[in-house]
Amino acid sequence: MKTINIGLIGFGTIGSGLVRALKENKNLLAERTGLRFVIRRICDKDISSPREVKVKRGILTRNSEDILSDPRIDIVVELIGGTRPALDYILRALQNKKPVVTANKSLLAEKGEIIFNTAYKNKVKIGFEASVAGGIPIIRSLREGFVANRIKGLYGIINGTTNYILSQMSEKKISFNQALREAKEKGYAEKNSKLDISGIDSAHKLAILARFAFNSICPWKRIYREGIEKITPLDIEYGEELGYCLKLLAIAKLKNGGLELRVHPALLPTSHPLSSIQGAYNGIYLTGDLIGETLFYGKGAGANPTASSVIADIVSIAEGKGEALNWMKAVKNRKINDIGELRTKYYFRFMALDKPGVLARIAASLGKHGISILSCIQKEREKKVVPVVMLTHWAKGSSVQAVLKEIDRLSVIKEKTVVIRVEESE
Ligand code: HSE
């Protein structure tokens, strides 16, 4: 049986998970592929702390060159995360004609072009299925299963931490901070949880997905982004009363010849398939000209789902498939649509004085800017300042910005108005 020798860089939780999964499912993999997968070397800064799996001491090294320059290594797996030194390792492996498998989402979002160009130039495969949505084979599906489709739209819940936070806020009526604390305790959040809650992690993953869904260069910094830091249980509750579920969505669409790329909290009709994605799970909803609608659901993080995708890439490469090189280069430089041009329905929560004429003043401003009210809720409260919740018909982003500037200056409005897009099909 042919042996595939793997050099693993990064022996943390994810790296150890890969070693364990390869050990535990060794026979199954051999049966299915006719190949034997062996971790020949492991490189890490720390080679003395105990790990959850036992490996022979002799295979551990602190020197990445023991992997990158070893002619016996067939595939390099990078699982250290971060930009540096991961970028140097990956480029060096590719230049040495060694195929690479990585789960490094932020690196691919930041430096994808140089990595893919180096892979293409050196005619070496690179697998990165685990970089987006953990164990869900979304990249392989875009590349292979849906290769014949023009993808129309991609909607993703691709950050488990924020989905967990929003689900907890909805279910237990707890505050954002309390839900964030729980997400951290459960180990869902990144070391720097700002990456999750500000939408950066979702934007990184969206840049990778959109590149392959639309064959376009998608600089992640040009993705419009809002986080969930300002979401309150009150808005989740009003949203639910109106028939919506609040999610942090990552959206990519081809629209008017350009690419619409955005990450922000959105109210989704409860009947939408993504509304059922709860807790730390991920979901991706795609529409294509041939497939129509399709939905992926699964774990977006953790050692086992990541190992599942990393091994799938290793097997693909070992079987001579892997990331088809033409995909690396087949990208266009499309226009990225301005968020001000985007038209959606909107949810507004005004904090207004409860006195005659207030609603009329808000409605007059909206009318002046061509924004039509769909529904309005104001509940009886014993306070002077009360929430007035409105849903609008389809409105242009730039008109909404302009009207809110005006409304928030009114003396009867006592707090900055909460604005959430409502995501419905046109
Ligand atoms: N912090 C990420 C998440 C981990 O919550 O989804 C997986 O990329």
Side-chain angles (χ1 to χ4, degrees):
M1 189 178 284
K2 188 175 168 199
T3 297
I4 303 296
N5 294 303
I6 297 163
L8 168 63
I9 305 183
F11 198 27
T13 314
I14 303 291
S16 312
L18 173 68
V19 176
R20 187 177 25 75
L22 277 174
K23 233 184 212 173
E24 284 176 1
N25 291 359
K26 185 173 82 181
N27 293 340
L28 175 86
L29 282 164
E31 243 171 65
R32 287 185 175 161
T33 65
L35 298 167
R36 202 163 69 98
F37 297 92
V38 174
I39 303 264
R40 191 61 68 196
R41 292 286 344 228
I42 301 178
C43 170
D44 200 278
K45 286 189 299 215
D46 169 11
I47 55 171
S48 50
S49 304
R51 306 296 206 280
E52 54 140 329
V53 277
K54 278 203 169 29
V55 294
K56 287 193 196 115
R57 271 212 85 75
I59 72 166
L60 293 169
T61 175
R62 282 196 192 88
N63 183 359
S64 58
E65 278 308 305
D66 290 343
I67 287 176
L68 301 173
S69 300
D70 181 344
R72 292 173 312 160
I73 300 291
D74 299 308
I75 300 175
V76 174
V77 177
E78 180 276 309
L79 295 177
I80 51 174
T83 312
R84 284 258 147 69
L87 176 65
D88 310 307
Y89 295 159
I90 290 179
L91 293 182
R92 193 147 162 67
L94 295 171
Q95 282 151 359
N96 286 350
K97 312 277 184 213
K98 289 193 190 303
V100 170
V101 175
T102 176
N104 199 327
K105 54 201 169 174
S106 57
L107 177 64
L108 289 172
E110 297 263 3
K111 304 284 178 195
E113 292 319 306
I114 177 169
I115 293 173
F116 296 137
N117 282 335
T118 308
Y120 185 79
K121 230 172 53 200
N122 288 282
K123 300 199 177 348
V124 190
K125 304 271 169 86
I126 175 164
F128 45 93
E129 184 65 72
S131 63
V132 180
I136 303 175
I138 182 66
I139 290 166
R140 181 156 289 108
S141 300
L142 284 170
R143 255 184 33 217
E144 295 175 11
F146 301 149
V147 66
N149 283 263
R150 283 174 201 282
I151 302 298
K152 294 183 183 164
L154 183 154
Y155 295 75
I157 295 174
I158 46 181
N159 180 271
T161 304
T162 44
N163 203 50
Y164 177 83
I165 292 173
L166 295 172
S167 302
Q168 291 298 101
M169 286 172 75
S170 154
E171 206 179 293
K172 300 192 190 154
K173 315 275 175 249
I174 55 176
S175 69
F176 167 79
N177 284 328
Q178 197 179 335
L180 172 61
R181 259 198 307 280
E182 282 184 23
K184 284 186 185 166
E185 279 161 20
K186 291 205 178 274
Y188 298 141
E190 298 290 313
K191 258 186 238 146
N192 172 6
S193 59
K194 251 200 162 143
L195 295 174
D196 296 300
I197 60 179
S198 66
I200 291 179
D201 180 70
S202 294
H204 283 157
K205 293 167 180 166
L206 184 66
I208 299 169
L209 287 182
R211 187 185 200 279
F212 291 92
F214 302 105
N215 305 94
S216 302
I217 294 186
C218 299
W220 81 271
K221 286 196 175 145
R222 298 208 42 211
I223 296 178
Y224 174 80
R225 180 171 55 80
E226 276 174 38
I228 62 160
E229 308 89 329
K230 296 201 184 106
I231 297 295
T232 64
L234 186 64
D235 297 304
I236 295 181
E237 207 175 312
Y238 273 117
E240 286 169 0
E241 202 176 315
L242 292 159
Y244 299 99
C245 178
L246 195 105
K247 296 289 185 195
L248 180 71
L249 291 186
I251 300 171
K253 283 188 207 173
L254 264 186
K255 194 93 196 226
N256 308 328
L259 263 184
E260 192 178 303
L261 296 171
R262 50 195 171 102
V263 170
H264 56 75
L267 288 167
L268 264 182
T270 41
S271 56
H272 191 284
L274 284 179
S275 286
S276 62
I277 313 290
Q278 294 295 327
Y281 277 84
N282 280 196
I284 297 159
Y285 170 85
L286 273 177
T287 48
D289 60 347
L290 305 179
I291 45 164
E293 297 174 272
T294 180
L295 178 73
F296 291 77
Y297 169 79
K299 287 193 173 144
N304 281 339
T306 307
S308 168
S309 287
V310 168
I311 297 173
D313 280 343
I314 292 173
V315 169
S316 264
I317 290 170
E319 288 181 337
K321 296 189 296 228
E323 186 63 50
L325 290 173
N326 207 46
W327 278 82
M328 303 290 164
K329 286 298 273 186
V331 283
K332 299 191 179 78
N333 237 325
R334 284 187 220 267
K335 168 172 87 79
I336 304 212
N337 296 348
D338 189 304
I339 193 73
E341 296 299 312
L342 175 73
R343 288 176 68 82
T344 61
K345 289 184 177 177
Y346 277 89
Y347 163 102
F348 298 143
R349 175 167 57 81
F350 306 104
M351 290 306 285
L353 284 183
D354 193 8
K355 62 177 206 180
V358 170
L359 214 57
R361 287 177 75 177
I362 296 174
S365 281
L366 290 169
K368 198 174 86 192
H369 289 266
I371 299 173
S372 169
I373 301 164
L374 187 63
S375 61
C376 178
I377 311 176
Q378 186 197 322
K379 292 188 183 161
E380 200 176 329
R381 287 211 174 188
E382 296 197 337
K383 289 185 181 150
K384 280 197 189 136
V385 179
V386 294
V388 176
V389 169
M390 276 185 193
L391 272 190
T392 72
H393 281 287
W394 295 81
K396 200 169 151 186
S398 52
S399 310
V400 167
Q401 288 312 316
V403 79
L404 289 181
K405 232 181 187 172
E406 198 174 295
I407 291 177
D408 282 351
R409 274 202 298 259
L410 295 175
S411 60
V412 293
I413 298 294
K414 295 299 176 195
E415 283 177 27
K416 197 167 161 30
T417 299
V418 173
V419 191
I420 304 172
R421 290 178 186 82
V422 176
E423 210 51 52
E424 275 180 24
S425 0
E426 278 163 270

